[in-house]
Amino acid sequence: LQHVASLVMQDAALCYRVLESGRSSIAGKTGVGDIAEILAALGPQALNSLGVVTILPQTAVRKNEAVTAGFGALWEASLRCAHAAREVARLTGYDRSDEAYVAGLLHTIGRTLILHRFPEKYSQLLADEFCAPILPEVERDHFGTTGAELAANLTADWHQFPFFSDALLYQDETAEAVADAPHLVKLVNLANKLSTSIEEDEGRAAAALLFDLTTDEADSIRETACTRASEAAAAFNVAGGEGARRDDEG
């Protein structure tokens, strides 16, 4: 199960399905990051129904190259944020580092849902570099909601994991807006900033404001997150990910 759990922890959509299916089985017994225990509680029959036994990145086979690239970009973005969140947890004394990782991993789950529903339209928006800094506003204009709001709605009844849904909801807010928020909310917000293509100075400023982290610490989080995510993308040959693009360029 440990091997399967490690694969689940690299795919936001599958991780969400496992957690959603296993919440009632593990209520009060384990944390959101204890995927192996949740898989054990679900049992082999349930795992087969979830497709866990034959897990492959959901981006592996797509007929439309732009849509494939969109899924790949979201897949790698989820991993970058997950690894960044774990690093922020380590540096800021948040003892539930696996919970932080899963929150980072699932921060794209709402955007993945939009991409499933509007594959061509949303993949074009994701590929537009001018949309990236204002993506929540673009999402609301085109779809009437945002990826963050959908992610929060999908986890709204996960009451055994305090502030998890809030962390997903406020992922795109300014650092100033979440400065007084609970630790997990600030942690995911910062991880999102340090794992995206925003200006480095903005991420460094957020790190200093939210957790009094140094520039070197902020840069280290960004570098670690990007490296680990691109390695995973290259290993899975995920089209559209940063790792895949770097391989193509080489």
Side-chain angles (χ1 to χ4, degrees), residues 1-2 4-5 18 25-26 34-47:
L1 280 181
Q2 289 294 338
V4 176
V18 169
S25 302
I26 52 88
D34 297 325
I35 296 296
E37 291 186 35
I38 296 172
L39 291 173
L42 284 172
Q45 191 169 19
L47 298 189

Side-chain angles (χ1 to χ4, degrees), residues 110-111 114 122 125-126 134-149 172:
R111 289 182 173 131
I114 296 175
Y122 194 43
L125 295 175
L126 289 174
I134 55 170
L135 188 56
E137 291 87 346
V138 172
E139 290 169 343
R140 187 175 300 284
D141 287 344
H142 285 270
F143 311 111
T145 188
T146 69
E149 289 174 347
D172 295 316

Side-chain angles (χ1 to χ4, degrees), residues 20-241:
E20 181 65 15
S21 298
R23 283 189 304 116
S24 59
S25 302
I26 52 88
K29 300 176 184 177
T30 189
V32 69
D34 297 325
I35 296 296
E37 291 186 35
I38 296 172
L39 291 173
L42 284 172
Q45 191 169 19
L47 298 189
N48 276 313
S49 70
L50 290 170
V52 176
V53 174
T54 56
I55 180 176
L56 287 172
Q58 63 187 50
T59 59
V61 180
R62 298 279 169 184
K63 292 182 179 179
N64 185 309
E65 290 187 4
V67 176
T68 300
F71 277 105
L74 290 180
W75 188 82
E76 191 170 342
S78 72
L79 278 181
R80 285 199 305 272
C81 191
H83 285 295
R86 180 173 279 164
E87 286 297 296
V88 175
R90 180 181 65 81
L91 289 170
T92 61
Y94 191 74
D95 58 5
R96 297 188 295 278
S97 60
D98 283 346
E99 177 187 72
Y101 178 96
V102 171
L105 187 72
L106 294 189
H107 90 290
T108 60
I109 194 66
R111 289 182 173 131
T112 300
L113 188 62
I114 296 175
L115 189 54
H116 271 292
R117 180 65 181 84
F118 305 99
E120 285 78 17
K121 185 175 185 178
Y122 194 43
S123 61
Q124 291 175 359
L125 295 175
L126 289 174
D128 188 340
E129 63 181 19
F130 295 104
C131 288
I134 55 170
L135 188 56
E137 291 87 346
V138 172
E139 290 169 343
R140 187 175 300 284
D141 287 344
H142 285 270
F143 311 111
T145 188
T146 69
E149 289 174 347
L150 285 174
N153 288 338
L154 287 168
T155 57
D157 59 348
W158 291 15
H159 303 302
Q160 64 268 53
F161 311 130
F163 305 115
F164 194 96
S165 180
D166 289 339
L168 303 187
L169 179 60
Y170 298 115
Q171 59 179 278
D172 295 316
E173 297 294 329
T174 64
E176 290 78 9
V178 299
D180 296 321
H183 198 140
L184 184 63
V185 175
K186 295 192 295 183
L187 187 156
V188 172
N189 181 278
L190 177 59
N192 185 35
K193 287 177 169 56
L194 291 177
S195 61
T196 60
S197 57
I198 66 167
E199 292 293 331
E200 287 186 352
D201 287 345
E202 183 180 343
R204 291 166 178 166
L209 174 65
L210 296 177
F211 293 111
D212 199 27
L213 296 178
T214 67
T215 293
D216 287 345
E217 288 172 326
D219 290 348
S220 176
I221 293 167
R222 184 189 295 273
E223 181 178 355
T224 297
C226 290
T227 298
R228 291 179 179 171
S230 63
E231 288 173 350
F236 282 107
N237 194 28
V238 175

